[in-house]
Amino acid sequence: MQISTEVAELLRSGLSNAAVARETGLHPVKVADVRQALDLPDYYAMLPSYVAPPSHREHGTRAKYNAEGCRCRPCRKVNRESENERTRLLAYGRWQPYVNAEPVRAHIAYLRDCGMGLRAIAVASGVDRRRLQSIVIGRAHLGRGPQAQVRPALAAAILAVEPTLDTLGTNTVIPGVGTTRRLQALVAVGWPQLHLGEELGWTSQNFSVLIIATTVTVRTARAVYALYDRLWNVDPLSHGASPGSITRAKKRAAEARWAPPAAWDDDRIDDPAACPDWTGRCGTAEGYRAHINHHIPICPPCREAGAVQRAERTARSQARALRAQTTNV
């Protein structure tokens, strides 16, 4: 291709294809071919990019692009992708730029009642704390009340946050089911309560209350969970517990029917409705027989399974008796 020096200089100077076409009288398509032949980037890529200074808004977000006019590559990319998504949804008639903020506000109130502050919610959701304040109380210095609508992505991010031990405040009171089950499981495998209390820094009197507590603080639950993860498969003898104290701990657990760690799945031990799987087959007829054969106290699921098995056996016996009686007649 014969390339005019004038056209090449104009393109290299940063003019757009349309501007070069006006200057030289060439067709814009021809100018585009020259740009491609010269291996020059697109006009917009050649524009000097304004990079906004550091602030609470991160690069690579539409907020940085729109509010601060940042034109760095990550901000331009996310803005372009957002515009493409918006165009696509408009074409399908599914564009929904805003949703009602009331469910979001109610969820934030719920999280705060659980002991999570706005800062913790902001970290868990990835939403700026000022945005959360705008949803909850508005912006008094600007004379604005709480937001009536929010972006769908922001609503989804906040609604996805749930209170967990990692996000709740340390003094928040929570149910003690998981905490007591973990302590009782450690006693069931021979850990003396005195040793466990010392590991937690509790007196024996306070520990005896903790091991059956209905509620605990998040701080205590975190300490017990860490202790359980560290000791559940460790031999108490290796930590200085005497054989006699181990025997007494196991006897205490057996009398109270405290399940050992092997009877609990990690994803069910905190569920108040869950029952320990003492035999590995609890809730079945095989589990019921395993309880009897190994002299393990029968758990409720196996008791129900045994009752069902006996009822079926009785029904079969009655059916056989009825058939025999009918045959004789």
Side-chain angles (χ1 to χ4, degrees), residues 96 98-105 147-152 155 159:
Q96 188 181 19
Y98 294 100
V99 296
N100 185 10
E102 190 54 41
V104 179
R105 198 160 24 251
Q147 286 183 226
Q149 295 180 316
V150 295
R151 295 284 187 183
L159 293 174

Side-chain angles (χ1 to χ4, degrees), residues 41-309:
D42 183 73
Y43 161 70
Y44 291 101
M46 294 180 67
L47 289 175
S49 299
Y50 167 71
V51 178
S55 68
H56 65 278
R57 299 184 181 93
E58 295 183 1
H59 288 285
T61 61
R62 289 204 75 189
K64 193 79 171 178
Y65 182 93
N66 292 325
E68 301 183 19
C70 183
R71 295 299 181 265
C72 69
R73 187 179 296 275
C75 287
R76 292 206 312 269
K77 180 182 177 182
V78 75
N79 181 70
R80 182 170 61 253
E81 292 174 348
S82 299
E83 283 299 319
N84 291 342
E85 178 69 7
R86 174 178 176 275
T87 303
R88 187 182 68 83
L89 292 176
L90 281 172
Y92 285 103
R94 292 161 50 193
W95 174 240
Q96 188 181 19
Y98 294 100
V99 296
N100 185 10
E102 190 54 41
V104 179
R105 198 160 24 251
H107 190 67
I108 293 174
Y110 160 70
L111 295 175
R112 297 180 78 176
D113 289 341
C114 291
M116 291 183 67
L118 284 183
R119 192 179 301 277
I121 299 173
V123 172
S125 63
V127 176
D128 188 79
R129 185 164 58 92
R130 294 187 182 122
R131 298 297 304 276
L132 298 177
Q133 290 174 335
S134 297
I135 296 171
V136 176
I137 61 175
R139 300 196 175 186
H141 64 286
L142 297 177
R144 299 177 186 171
Q147 286 183 226
Q149 295 180 316
V150 295
R151 295 284 187 183
L154 184 144
I158 297 174
L159 293 174
V161 177
E162 292 295 337
T164 64
L165 284 181
D166 295 329
T167 58
L168 290 174
T170 56
N171 293 323
T172 303
V173 178
I174 61 173
V177 174
T179 301
T180 56
R181 283 176 176 173
R182 284 172 171 82
L183 292 176
Q184 292 167 3
L186 291 176
V187 175
V189 293
W191 280 98
Q193 296 188 40
L194 180 61
H195 278 66
L196 296 178
E198 291 175 350
E199 291 282 348
L200 293 172
W202 286 55
T203 65
S204 59
Q205 184 176 2
N206 288 337
F207 186 86
S208 63
V209 174
L210 173 62
I211 201 169
I212 57 173
T214 55
T215 59
V216 296
T217 64
V218 168
R219 180 188 291 107
T220 299
R222 289 176 181 170
V224 171
Y225 286 24
L227 179 69
Y228 178 82
D229 289 342
R230 183 160 54 87
L231 299 182
W232 71 271
N233 61 347
V234 175
D235 186 358
L237 278 173
S238 64
H239 278 59
S242 65
S245 63
I246 293 174
T247 301
R248 287 191 295 272
K250 291 181 177 179
K251 181 180 178 181
R252 170 74 177 93
E255 292 173 350
R257 298 188 64 180
W258 291 344
W264 291 111
D265 290 331
D266 289 340
D267 57 348
R268 300 196 65 198
I269 192 170
D270 295 298
D271 182 4
C275 291
D277 190 351
W278 293 85
T279 65
R281 299 181 297 276
C282 284
T284 65
E286 292 81 5
Y288 177 77
R289 288 193 293 272
H291 275 282
I292 296 175
N293 294 337
H294 295 90
H295 306 289
I296 303 172
I298 301 175
C299 63
C302 285
R303 186 176 291 109
E304 292 179 8
V308 170
Q309 186 184 41

